[in-house]
Amino acid sequence: MTISAPITQDVHTIPRRLPEGGVNLVGLTRDEMREALVAAGTPEKQAKMRVGQVWQWIYHWGVRDFGAMTNLAKDYRALLARSFVVELPEIVSKQVSADGTRKYLVRIAGGHEVETVYIPEEDRGTLCVSSQVGCTLTCSFCHTGTQRLVRNLTAGEIVGQVMLVRDDLGEWPVPGAPKDETRLLSNIVLMGMGEPLYNFEAVRDAMRIAMDPEGLSLSRRRITLSTSGVVPEIARTATEIGCNLAVSFHATTDDVRDVLVPINRKWNIAALLDSLREYPNLSNSERITFEYVMLDGVNDSDEDARRLVRLIEGIPAKINLIPFNEWPGAPYKRSSNNRIRAFADIIYKAGYASPIRTPRGEDIMAACGQLKSATERARKSRAQVAAEAGVPRA
Ligand code: SAH
Ligand code: SF4
């Protein structure tokens, strides 16, 4: 019998008890919060109601101070304050791009840092959330891939990014004010630092909190999880979260994908496509997004476009073409606009939507694949990056 390698990688996750005392309520599921409240002395009979009340204060109103939870008796507020905290990661710095994109450097427990990017658009605002500090995978075109993984984020640190940015946008509801349906932060994409399917449980719990109708209340259709192709975990995205799925496809032959997205050596294109064909909930209204980074002379030929169309035949899909975003020492160049348009045209004529993603926040290194916290000391050298990409040194 062969034993398959573990899916979730062995990186440590910090305990929820904070050194200064109380347990952090942010990031607990409803069941976990119930258990915590009972352990702190809440009578079993009241527990469900108390969870409902505290949940609404934290996630609907954005309240952090138990003293302000005015529908709870004073004694009960004091009990909560003795046992718990409502704590978010800390914003260390914020950069605003000429196009309005905001990049936040966020400090989490242990002094580690991740980046979170807010991208305003006319009819919506998308938050690009990180799920790990760095990434264990080493996609050769991705800046994050040059940073050693430090650890997985907890559910609280993942949903905490959403809450921090709501703070910064001043978007928590005000009691009595008319309900405003156009939200500044209306969508979440798990496309920041890290591979979300290597931190599945924390990502799932955080997204369930974000979707909870008595809290942040974001629809599952407004959340997209992007994976490099962790095949055995893909189906859980549909069954346990229910959000949209995007797959970092990026190449049409195993030879090229092995270099660009090295996880392909473990689960190749055929295995990935099989898992997508079997993906639960797949329909024309719930299509899979194939992300495809356009790298000059590497994966951008007409032949690649035609092969891509043949490969994905039968899968309800749209193809999101991402012009390569450069970073210092990157071993690739962006395809020309004409090349990208010609590639898009072939896909479009085959019957697939083929939007070209507009790079956002490039001037502050906030665009796709540019994230890497500058403070993490363990870095790979330029030469190492180039060698892994199979690019001869100049
Ligand atoms: N780890 C996940 C999600 C984070 S990356 C994944 O790989 O899917 C989000 C998207 O940006 C992925 O499609 C990724 O391949 C792409 N990307 C990475 N580096 C890039 C770069 N330098 N330019 C453009 N897109 C990039
Ligand atoms: Fe990790 Fe995604 Fe970057 Fe690959 S593209 S190194 S999986 S963050």
Side-chain angles (χ1 to χ4, degrees):
M1 194 181 92
T2 50
I3 298 168
S4 58
I7 304 306
T8 302
Q9 297 182 336
D10 185 21
V11 289
H12 71 284
T13 300
I14 51 153
R16 286 195 166 112
R17 185 171 288 281
L18 303 168
E20 330 57 280
V23 170
N24 191 5
L25 292 179
V26 177
L28 301 189
T29 62
R30 277 180 179 265
D31 284 348
E32 287 169 341
M33 193 187 284
R34 184 181 186 288
E35 258 173 52
L37 295 188
V38 169
T42 306
E44 281 276 354
K45 275 192 178 159
Q46 296 178 8
K48 191 169 177 224
M49 176 185 69
R50 295 296 179 218
V51 170
Q53 290 170 318
V54 173
W55 191 275
Q56 216 182 27
W57 281 116
I58 297 176
Y59 295 114
H60 177 76
W61 299 112
V63 166
R64 311 276 149 79
D65 172 8
F66 294 110
M69 301 186 177
T70 48
N71 60 352
L72 302 176
K74 271 218 171 100
D75 289 354
Y76 190 64
R77 286 186 239 162
L79 175 148
L80 290 176
R82 277 196 304 275
S83 312
F84 303 109
V85 291
V86 180
E87 222 171 58
L88 300 187
E90 184 194 342
I91 296 181
V92 180
S93 65
K94 174 172 93 174
Q95 285 171 278
V96 183
S97 155
D99 69 17
T101 299
R102 300 180 185 202
K103 181 168 85 170
Y104 302 89
L105 183 62
V106 174
R107 185 173 298 139
I108 58 173
H112 303 302
E113 288 168 351
V114 292
E115 293 181 323
T116 305
V117 179
Y118 173 72
I119 307 143
E121 287 172 87
E122 230 162 72
D123 56 344
R124 61 177 158 181
T126 302
L127 192 69
C128 182
V129 168
S130 290
S131 56
Q132 301 183 307
V133 183
C135 188
T136 47
L137 302 173
T138 50
C139 302
S140 50
F141 54 91
C142 172
H143 203 199
T144 312
T146 68
Q147 182 181 323
R148 189 173 61 96
L149 174 89
V150 182
R151 71 164 168 85
N152 280 340
L153 267 59
T154 62
E157 289 162 347
I158 297 170
V159 74
Q161 294 169 59
V162 179
M163 298 165 77
L164 277 180
V165 175
R166 279 206 114 183
D167 283 356
D168 190 55
L169 295 168
E171 202 185 21
W172 294 102
V174 179
K179 215 171 166 198
D180 181 359
E181 289 300 339
T182 42
R183 291 221 205 156
L184 295 172
L185 196 171
S186 61
N187 294 58
I188 296 176
V189 292
L190 286 147
M191 295 187 185
M193 298 164 71
E195 167 49 58
L197 295 189
Y198 272 146
N199 187 15
F200 186 81
E201 281 79 15
V203 166
R204 175 198 59 202
D205 291 350
M207 291 306 105
R208 285 187 180 166
I209 294 170
M211 293 186 290
D212 190 293
E214 279 161 44
L216 293 159
S217 190
L218 282 162
S219 142
R220 67 186 185 87
R221 299 282 190 111
R222 289 183 172 272
I223 300 177
T224 302
L225 182 152
S226 173
T227 181
S228 57
V230 186
V231 163
E233 301 285 287
I234 283 180
R236 293 176 82 189
T237 308
T239 54
E240 297 183 37
I241 308 176
C243 62
N244 300 313
L245 180 72
V247 175
S248 293
F249 206 64
H250 304 322
T252 61
T253 64
D254 282 324
D255 281 351
V256 176
R257 196 162 191 273
D258 279 351
V259 173
L260 297 183
V261 191
I263 202 176
N264 194 68
R265 294 177 204 157
K266 200 164 188 179
W267 296 291
N268 67 11
I269 291 181
L272 176 58
L273 289 171
D274 281 347
S275 77
L276 299 179
R277 288 208 167 82
E278 286 160 17
Y279 190 66
N281 300 349
L282 201 54
S283 69
N284 261 332
S285 65
E286 298 204 25
R287 290 174 292 173
I288 290 172
T289 300
F290 284 75
E291 295 163 288
Y292 198 97
V293 64
M294 298 298 293
L295 303 170
D296 185 31
V298 175
N299 63 355
D300 63 350
S301 68
D302 285 355
E303 205 189 334
D304 278 306
R306 285 193 288 267
R307 218 173 5 235
L308 178 58
V309 168
R310 280 200 302 275
L311 284 171
I312 65 171
E313 203 190 327
I315 302 177
K318 68 176 167 211
I319 291 134
N320 201 332
L321 299 178
I322 316 176
F324 174 59
N325 297 309
E326 296 192 7
W327 38 270
Y332 301 106
K333 294 248 162 308
R334 180 183 291 182
S335 308
S336 71
N337 287 344
N338 283 345
R339 185 85 296 271
I340 299 178
R341 271 196 295 270
F343 195 98
D345 206 42
I346 293 173
I347 291 164
Y348 180 75
K349 286 198 174 119
Y352 295 94
S354 54
I356 300 167
R357 195 181 287 175
T358 316
R360 296 289 305 265
E362 273 183 297
D363 53 342
I364 54 167
M365 288 281 287
C368 299
Q370 292 186 319
L371 305 183
K372 167 174 174 170
S373 40
T375 47
E376 291 297 345
R377 260 184 240 109
R379 294 171 206 208
K380 289 183 188 170
S381 68
R382 247 168 194 250
Q384 205 179 340
V385 173
E388 282 172 13
V391 175
R393 279 169 76 181

